Amino acid sequence: MVKLKAPSYLMLGMVRLGARSGYAIKKATDRSTRGFWPTSLAQVYPELGRLERAGLLRRSEDPRGARQRSVYEVTEQGEAALSNWLRSAREAPLQLRDEGLLKLFFADALPREDQLTLVRRQRERAQQAEQVIREEMIPLAEAQATTGARYPAIAAQLGADMYAYARRWFERLEQELTQAGQAYGRDR
Amino acid sequence: MVKLKAPSYLMLGMVRLGARSGYAIKKATDRSTRGFWPTSLAQVYPELGRLERAGLLRRSEDPRGARQRSVYEVTEQGEAALSNWLRSAREAPLQLRDEGLLKLFFADALPREDQLTLVRRQRERAQQAEQVIREEMIPLAEAQATTGARYPAIAAQLGADMYAYARRWFERLEQELTQAGQAYGRDR
DNA sequence: GGAAGCATGTAAAGTGTTACATGATTTT
DNA sequence: AAAATCATGTAACACTTTACATGCTTCC
């Protein structure tokens, strides 16, 4: 019995959504789950092998000309495993690392002017992240929605909305810093 | 010249805020930056050594009875390094891994009833995360604000507000799923 | 007297990314 | 003809966590 973790289910789920080769899976994650679960080719190929040996994926050769190509489909066992995972209440704790937030946390060490610059930069980052999701991910996810998979678009929308909220939050903080001006900062 | 990364500045910043021993730094991060930059003791001690050798921290022995204890303070060089980092526009890209969102992304594989359960669980997780920040982190951060460090409280507030927003977002999705009921799901 | 907390550190294991290595096919 | 994309895989490296190891001090 192999031990399955989130990346295993990511492969299973992606194959199920129609990304049949390792290369296609990597491309699909770059266009969809990258923001909350990135992956690299060096993870994809060994994991596909493991899942095949475990009987959760079935492999077949489907060359394109002289170029070899392995395509996968989810077996009944694989479907069951994915289903059980989706239904289970156990989840690895969310992990987040954001150097920008860390800087914000320590911003008291800066004079007020530089604090403002820092906050503005964080606002811009949130704005850009939102834009990438809206321009690159949502259109693709909505196209997918017409073929029956609604949740990729829902997840993308959640991401865009979260970044939009963060952007507004930083805007508000920017205003407060500008107005309350002289009251704060190292050089008050 | 040593290479400094975000964890280095975390140590520097924490010592600056008054966490003078390795143990105290670890405790402080658990109570403040854990949500956006966690750390472990196995990182803290070697990094403190590096920073001392690089001249950014000054170490002194301050035993408590027979128990040894090294306490640190930030040197002028350390202050400058922290300042430069805070002012620099380069940040490591935000990294996020959330198994819950990954499940949401693949939720089309479930019957509608189980989709609802999944969404409800994510709502509860967001709710709990918000509660932990409000109960455990904000009070401490606000106490700190009275001693001049305002940003720890700002960062904590941002975290709480983000989770509150996510909670409301999941609530809305729950309602939509309940109402639009029979239209969606594997078993439509 | 025992449990919880203070205090420091190392070793092993796990997880993941980047770089290397190779080559075919399609698009410009 | 060159560039981009498709396609597969491995090796080396980086970063982090968990477990191990030890022992003092304070609170109940």
Side-chain angles (χ1 to χ4, degrees):
Chain A
M1 199 57 191
V2 286
K3 210 176 167 184
L4 301 181
K5 302 209 168 155
S8 323
Y9 298 108
L10 175 59
M11 309 299 148
L12 243 32
M14 282 299 181
V15 171
R16 200 179 166 280
L17 289 179
R20 318 212 340 145
S21 71
Y23 187 86
I25 290 172
K26 164 62 174 158
K27 227 181 46 181
T29 58
D30 283 350
R31 290 171 181 173
S32 56
T33 67
R34 182 184 70 207
F36 50 88
W37 206 288
T39 196
S40 69
L41 280 171
Q43 274 184 296
V44 172
Y45 290 112
E47 188 61 31
L48 287 174
R50 280 185 67 229
L51 293 172
E52 192 207 349
R53 286 192 295 280
L56 306 178
L57 286 179
R58 190 175 11 253
R59 185 168 71 92
S60 44
E61 288 301 317
D62 183 22
R64 284 287 174 271
R67 184 167 65 200
Q68 73 154 326
R69 182 163 173 262
S70 296
V71 296
Y72 295 85
E73 47 189 331
V74 182
T75 64
E76 256 178 69
Q77 268 183 78
E79 290 278 356
L82 184 64
S83 231
N84 285 335
W85 172 68
L86 288 169
R87 270 189 278 259
S88 78
R90 252 182 241 140
E91 269 126 38
L94 179 144
Q95 53 165 287
L96 170 64
R97 278 199 149 82
D98 185 356
E99 194 169 353
L101 265 180
L102 196 58
K103 284 183 179 174
L104 186 72
F105 182 87
F106 291 121
D108 291 291
L110 292 175
R112 198 187 55 83
E113 214 183 316
D114 292 336
Q115 291 175 7
L116 238 167
T117 309
L118 198 163
V119 172
R120 192 175 299 128
R121 213 167 55 229
Q122 297 315 311
R123 192 246 300 150
E124 283 160 9
R125 288 182 82 206
Q127 208 161 358
Q128 278 157 26
E130 184 197 347
Q131 204 187 338
V132 169
I133 298 180
R134 291 211 190 281
E135 289 176 4
E136 291 173 27
M137 294 177 169
I138 291 184
L140 282 160
E142 276 175 355
Q144 221 174 8
T146 63
T147 70
R150 284 167 29 86
Y151 281 91
I154 291 173
Q157 193 63 52
L158 172 57
D161 289 350
M162 291 291 290
Y163 282 115
Y165 181 78
R167 191 204 69 220
R168 291 192 300 270
W169 208 95
F170 285 121
E171 271 166 16
R172 212 179 315 128
L173 180 56
E174 244 178 280
Q175 276 171 27
E176 277 172 35
L177 286 171
T178 309
Q179 286 159 17
Q182 49 288 45
Y184 309 118
R186 195 177 63 183
D187 58 352
R188 70 153 152 288
Chain B
M1 200 57 192
V2 286
K3 210 176 163 183
L4 301 180
K5 302 210 169 156
S8 323
Y9 298 108
L10 175 59
M11 308 300 148
L12 243 34
M14 282 299 180
V15 170
R16 200 178 168 280
L17 288 179
R20 315 196 43 196
S21 71
Y23 188 87
I25 289 171
K26 163 62 175 159
K27 229 181 43 181
T29 58
D30 283 350
R31 289 172 181 173
S32 56
T33 67
R34 183 184 69 207
F36 50 88
W37 206 286
T39 196
S40 70
L41 281 172
Q43 276 185 294
V44 172
Y45 289 113
E47 188 61 30
L48 287 175
R50 281 184 68 229
L51 293 173
E52 192 208 350
R53 284 192 297 280
L56 306 179
L57 286 179
R58 188 173 15 253
R59 186 169 70 92
S60 44
E61 288 300 317
D62 184 22
R64 284 288 174 268
R67 184 167 64 199
Q68 72 154 328
R69 182 163 174 261
S70 296
V71 295
Y72 295 86
E73 47 189 331
V74 182
T75 64
E76 255 177 70
Q77 268 184 77
E79 290 278 357
L82 184 64
S83 230
N84 285 335
W85 172 68
L86 287 171
R87 270 189 278 260
S88 78
R90 254 184 236 138
E91 268 125 39
L94 178 145
Q95 56 164 285
L96 169 64
R97 278 199 150 82
D98 185 355
E99 192 170 355
L101 264 181
L102 196 59
K103 285 183 180 176
L104 187 73
F105 182 87
F106 290 121
D108 292 291
L110 291 174
R112 199 186 55 84
E113 215 183 316
D114 292 335
Q115 292 176 4
L116 238 167
T117 309
L118 198 163
V119 171
R120 192 175 298 129
R121 214 169 53 231
Q122 297 315 311
R123 192 245 300 149
E124 283 160 10
R125 288 182 81 205
Q127 208 160 359
Q128 278 159 27
E130 183 197 349
Q131 205 186 337
V132 168
I133 297 179
R134 291 211 189 282
E135 290 177 4
E136 290 173 28
M137 295 178 170
I138 289 183
L140 283 159
E142 277 175 355
Q144 221 173 5
T146 64
T147 70
R150 284 166 30 85
Y151 280 92
I154 291 173
Q157 193 63 52
L158 172 58
D161 289 349
M162 290 292 289
Y163 281 116
Y165 181 78
R167 191 204 69 219
R168 291 193 299 271
W169 208 95
F170 285 123
E171 271 165 16
R172 212 179 316 127
L173 180 57
E174 246 178 279
Q175 275 172 25
E176 277 172 37
L177 285 171
T178 310
Q179 286 159 16
Q182 49 288 42
Y184 308 118
R186 196 177 62 184
D187 57 352
R188 67 154 155 286

